[in-house]
Amino acid sequence: MKRGYTAKELSGKTGMPSTVRGVKARAARENWPGQRRSHSKAIEYSLDALPTETQIAIITAQSQSRSDFSDNKQCFPAKGKSPPFAATTLNDDQRLTMGARLSFVLEIERMTAEMTQKKAIATIVALSKEHRLDLFLHDRLVVANDRSTPTSTLSERTLKRWISTYREHGEVGLAPGRRRKNLTMPLWSTDFLRCYQRPTKPSVEASYMEFCEKYTSDQPSIHQVRRFLDKLSPEARNIGRHTAQQLKALQPFRRRTTKDLMPCDVFTADGHKFDAEIINPRTGKPYRPEATTVIDVATRKVVGISIGESESSIAVIDALRNAVQHGMFALLYVDNGSGFVNDTVREIVERLGGTLTHALPYNSQARGLIERAHKTIWVNAAKKLTSYIGADMDRQAGAKAFRISRKQIRENGGTTLIPSFETFMAGIEYEIETYNNAPHRGLTKVRDPITGKRRHLSPNEAWARAISTGWQAIIAPSDVLNDVMRPQVIRPTRRGEISWAGNKYFLDNLRDFHGADVRISYDLRDASKVWVRNLSGELIGEAHLDGNASPYMPKSMVEQAYRKREHGQIRRTLEKLRMLSDKNNHMSIVEHSSAPILDAARLAEAKRVAKALIDSEPTPFTLPPDPIAKYQLWQKLNADICNSLPLTKDEALWHSSYQTNMEFAAMRRMFEHIES
């Protein structure tokens, strides 16, 4: 048993301070006798000078460890001893070194069954110097030494230290220590971060230059500054450079699951400024519409949309009106925008029996479901248009399209680069239908009955599956929806007419309200009529579009005028042909004839020549303004192509380009639905 112990060996033992510095201070205070250990600078303190409880603990521990090592095949750490660090904190490099050292300790333990420990250690040291270790230990020798340069020899002292550490702390104690990052904040860190953590996001070089101008103490190098920033977490480094909302993208989050929800349990709604221009149906000028979308959280199905000029309560009410036609919602989850935070929307939601819930401010991550749907539906739809002005649009191409469209509007009153509102709505209906029928990765997987492969359910399939399990939607009565959820505006009436959105609506019952203001309710998808109420809310009736309009002249009179004009055109054409024929044949004109007299053969020849002249003149190609007429014109041109009939250059060009337009796809689906 040893008679002397260093301050490091005594630290943490029973009756001793837990630190080396504390042990040395107590030894100096109590005048413990000590001497320098051989081949070392450490001071050994005599066992007799130590406190009684410490002597008992040391003697008991050493007796127990010697008995365990000599009598057993394995060595175990002494009870009550804890390793210097937990096994869970070790990295792969430390684990490899620990395993290599353990191999040597266990080999010495095996050899002590036939020889003493001292002789076993000397044998291992000699074999390592002569490079005669077995292959297993030889491969682990360099790893066990854990040196910066490869060392293939061992010393007696090293092996004894490994054995002692293993007895005291187990195999975890054999792991080498590693220097941890110094996470203390330098004295200059606060002043530098004051220059670096700004919303303008200055570079490290710019922040360092400003810091050096203001900091008067010992200035660090820019490399020290960079190493300091590398120690900081991304969140701590970007405080001040990002807003609270942007910092949330660097923070842990709670993922919400929707597996326990049924359809119509939760609706979520949000507005999105469309990233392309369309023609405003009210003003005839280009604008970016505001699209309000309502999605069922359980199935991800888009159940309602509304298009307006800005986020407002009118747009929200219109979108909810379309949504509740699929079923009444229990909870409406929205943000704190002006379109949702108002008494009108709150009153309607409460009247429908639902609950309105707002997300926390600057917490768009909580509504990631509908934010992602905006990109899938609205952003992708905007990128299909030539009037796209989003962030991904090429700057020069966007500027060129802008100049051309404005020039066309100034000169012609319209443009081919910006779609009309009808074309836009037809395309949006197609995008919504495509989204609801496409597999959604937020839904469960099923095996496709056609391909046999596993895929996600589509929103429509998820809705249908819920119905098949017995779920039924609660549909609000139509009179409640019409009475509550149609947007209303106040407009003046003149002689039974109301002007709204560029149209004229007529109601005979308004004759008594001439010059007064009335409230009209309208449907954004049906412009054929509006519902008129007085200012107190009583229904007056339905005013129909152009309800008092009639033809300027009777149709029979117009047709008679058309026939008279055609006869006049034919007579004048024949007169010109007769004069040309007489001039070429040097025929004289009978002066007393008051009207040209032609026989039957010459009259037939004149008609043939006139028809040939009329047919030879090219007719300018013009497009009808109505989308239905456009599609019918395309069908006619397509039939001419199938029958090998020639088309003009303008006709052929329009025929090929119209097929790529969203209006064509919408009209085609409509005609196919009507025919079926």
Side-chain angles (χ1 to χ4, degrees):
M1 182 174 294
K2 294 193 301 181
R3 304 300 300 175
Y5 297 87
T6 64
K8 184 176 182 180
E9 293 172 342
L10 293 173
S11 61
K13 295 187 180 300
T14 305
M16 288 287 104
S18 59
T19 62
V20 175
R21 184 177 181 181
V23 173
K24 291 181 178 179
R26 183 172 180 178
R29 187 170 59 253
E30 298 178 1
N31 296 321
W32 294 350
Q35 62 181 2
R36 189 178 299 276
R37 176 176 286 182
S38 60
H39 306 293
S40 175
K41 296 181 180 180
I43 301 298
E44 289 183 337
Y45 301 102
S46 175
L47 179 64
D48 299 334
L50 301 179
T52 304
E53 56 182 355
T54 305
Q55 295 182 26
I56 295 174
I58 291 176
I59 294 172
T60 303
Q62 290 190 357
S63 300
Q64 180 66 31
S65 63
R66 176 168 298 194
S67 176
D68 293 342
F69 190 82
S70 60
D71 298 337
N72 300 329
K73 293 297 181 180
Q74 286 186 333
C75 298
F76 297 94
K79 294 183 179 180
K81 299 295 182 180
S82 58
F85 32 71
T88 55
T89 62
L90 301 179
N91 56 32
D92 293 341
D93 181 58
Q94 289 174 300
R95 292 179 187 277
L96 288 175
T97 305
M98 178 187 70
R101 291 176 178 179
L102 181 62
S103 300
F104 285 94
V105 172
L106 296 179
E107 179 64 17
I108 294 174
E109 176 191 354
R110 184 188 63 79
M111 295 172 64
T112 54
E114 301 176 358
M115 61 184 73
T116 63
Q117 174 183 311
K118 184 176 181 180
K119 188 174 182 179
I121 293 175
T123 303
I124 294 294
V125 171
L127 291 175
S128 67
K129 290 181 179 179
E130 298 173 2
H131 303 287
R132 292 171 52 196
L133 287 171
D134 63 85
L135 184 61
F136 179 78
L137 293 178
H138 182 269
D139 292 340
R140 285 157 176 75
L141 182 55
V142 175
V143 178
N145 280 323
D146 191 36
R147 303 284 178 82
S148 57
T149 57
T151 303
S152 58
T153 59
L154 285 172
S155 66
E156 180 181 353
R157 185 172 181 176
T158 299
L159 290 175
K160 287 182 177 180
R161 187 179 72 250
W162 291 351
I163 293 172
S164 176
T165 303
Y166 179 70
R167 291 174 182 175
E168 186 174 0
H169 300 296
E171 63 178 20
V172 179
L174 296 174
R178 291 290 183 262
R179 179 177 295 180
R180 302 290 181 180
K181 287 184 178 180
N182 184 10
L183 300 180
T184 58
M185 299 288 286
L187 297 177
W188 48 264
S189 60
T190 304
D191 296 290
F192 172 76
L193 291 178
R194 192 177 294 114
C195 301
Y196 179 73
Q197 292 179 334
R198 293 177 177 175
T200 54
K201 297 181 179 61
S203 63
V204 178
E205 292 81 0
S207 303
Y208 179 73
M209 293 176 62
E210 182 182 355
F211 161 73
C212 291
E213 294 176 357
K214 298 179 180 179
Y215 194 69
T216 57
S217 300
D218 294 338
Q219 297 177 353
S221 66
I222 191 171
H223 305 290
Q224 290 178 289
V225 171
R226 291 186 184 277
R227 287 193 294 270
F228 164 71
L229 290 176
D230 291 339
K231 294 178 183 179
L232 299 179
S233 65
E235 179 184 358
R237 187 167 55 249
N238 288 286
I239 292 176
R241 295 172 69 88
H242 294 330
T243 61
Q245 185 176 12
Q246 290 176 317
L247 281 177
K248 288 186 177 181
L250 306 175
Q251 299 170 350
F253 65 97
R254 184 182 297 274
R255 189 179 297 277
R256 294 178 175 178
T257 60
T258 59
K259 296 180 180 179
D260 298 333
L261 293 178
M262 295 298 291
C264 296
D265 283 353
V266 181
F267 282 180
T268 179
D270 193 19
H272 174 78
K273 180 65 75 172
F274 195 61
D275 292 330
E277 291 182 325
I278 66 170
I279 298 299
N280 192 324
R282 187 174 60 85
T283 63
K285 296 181 180 180
Y287 85 118
R288 292 176 59 190
E290 177 79 14
T292 303
T293 313
V294 183
I295 293 181
D296 175 65
V297 173
T299 63
R300 309 303 200 273
K301 181 177 181 179
V302 176
V303 292
I305 62 170
S306 178
I307 307 299
E309 295 184 0
S310 61
E311 182 176 309
S312 61
S313 59
I314 294 178
V316 174
I317 293 172
D318 184 63
L320 287 178
R321 179 174 177 269
N322 288 274
V324 296
Q325 293 178 1
H326 295 81
M328 293 297 299
F329 59 88
L331 187 71
L332 180 62
Y333 186 53
V334 295
D335 60 11
N336 294 276
S338 60
F340 301 101
V341 183
N342 56 77
D343 295 337
T344 304
V345 174
R346 184 181 183 88
E347 179 184 356
I348 289 177
V349 171
E350 291 180 352
R351 184 171 177 182
L352 292 175
T355 302
L356 185 64
T357 302
H358 297 279
L360 295 176
Y362 306 106
N363 194 29
S364 58
Q365 284 186 334
R367 297 178 296 105
L369 190 150
I370 196 167
E371 295 289 348
R372 186 61 181 85
H374 287 165
K375 183 176 180 181
T376 303
I377 300 173
W378 301 109
V379 175
N380 289 340
K383 288 185 176 181
K384 296 179 181 179
L385 302 177
T386 55
S387 59
Y388 176 67
I389 55 176
D392 297 334
M393 183 65 174
D394 181 77
R395 181 176 298 181
Q396 293 182 351
K400 183 177 180 181
F402 181 85
R403 290 194 302 269
I404 295 175
S405 62
R406 266 48 180 189
K407 182 178 179 182
Q408 291 178 346
I409 292 175
R410 287 194 305 269
E411 296 178 352
N412 306 323
T415 177
T416 58
L417 298 180
I418 303 178
S420 63
F421 187 80
E422 292 78 8
T423 303
F424 167 73
M425 289 302 299
I428 290 305
E429 294 292 343
Y430 170 77
E431 295 292 337
I432 297 298
E433 181 181 356
T434 302
Y435 171 84
N436 286 336
N437 289 319
H440 197 292
R441 64 182 181 181
L443 301 175
T444 58
K445 281 189 173 183
V446 294
R447 191 168 299 279
D448 193 291
I450 299 177
T451 62
K453 298 180 180 179
R454 290 183 61 81
R455 62 169 178 83
H456 293 281
L457 287 171
S458 68
N460 281 338
E461 290 174 338
W463 190 281
R465 169 177 280 198
I467 295 177
S468 65
T469 58
W471 173 82
Q472 292 183 352
I474 302 176
I475 307 298
S478 58
D479 55 343
V480 175
L481 294 180
N482 294 335
D483 182 54
V484 174
M485 307 196 69
R486 283 199 182 104
Q488 297 183 4
V489 294
I490 298 177
R491 303 294 293 175
T493 176
R494 296 288 186 274
R495 301 177 63 185
E497 286 186 339
I498 300 175
S499 298
W500 168 245
N503 297 325
K504 298 288 187 180
Y505 296 90
F506 177 77
L507 177 61
D508 186 68
N509 292 341
L510 291 175
R511 64 174 64 229
D512 297 333
F513 294 87
H514 173 72
D517 291 338
V518 294
R519 289 163 52 184
I520 63 171
S521 304
Y522 61 92
D523 190 342
L524 290 177
R525 290 171 175 78
D526 184 10
S528 62
K529 58 184 176 181
V530 295
W531 293 262
V532 186
R533 302 174 183 270
N534 59 20
L535 296 181
S536 61
E538 297 178 1
L539 181 65
I540 300 175
E542 296 180 359
H544 294 270
L545 177 65
D546 297 331
N548 59 339
S550 60
Y552 191 80
M553 286 293 178
K555 189 174 181 180
S556 58
M557 295 180 61
V558 175
E559 293 178 351
Q560 183 179 4
Y562 282 157
R563 287 195 297 269
K564 184 177 180 181
R565 184 175 61 181
E566 291 174 357
H567 288 310
Q569 290 175 346
I570 294 175
R571 182 179 60 79
R572 288 190 294 272
T573 302
L574 293 176
E575 177 66 21
K576 292 179 181 179
L577 289 174
R578 186 190 65 78
M579 294 175 63
L580 291 174
S581 177
D582 290 345
K583 182 177 181 181
N584 292 335
N585 295 305
H586 303 286
M587 296 178 65
S588 60
I589 300 176
V590 181
E591 295 181 358
H592 62 275
S593 299
S594 59
I597 300 175
L598 301 176
D599 55 13
R602 293 183 63 185
L603 182 60
E605 179 66 16
K607 289 182 178 181
R608 186 187 66 78
V609 174
K611 185 176 184 304
L613 291 174
I614 295 174
D615 294 341
S616 63
E617 295 182 0
T619 303
F621 179 70
T622 57
L623 289 177
D626 185 16
I628 297 178
K630 286 183 182 179
Y631 184 75
Q632 292 174 343
L633 176 60
W634 182 89
Q635 287 181 318
K636 177 181 177 301
L637 296 178
N638 194 56
D640 293 343
I641 294 175
C642 295
N643 295 329
S644 302
L645 296 178
L647 300 181
T648 64
K649 181 179 179 180
D650 294 339
E651 291 175 342
L653 180 62
W654 179 81
H655 177 271
S656 60
S657 63
Y658 184 62
Q659 301 179 58
T660 61
N661 197 307
M662 291 191 299
E663 178 183 295
F664 171 80
M667 292 297 104
R668 188 171 191 173
R669 291 195 307 272
M670 184 183 73
F671 273 79
E672 290 176 354
H673 178 71
I674 294 175
E675 292 174 357
S676 61

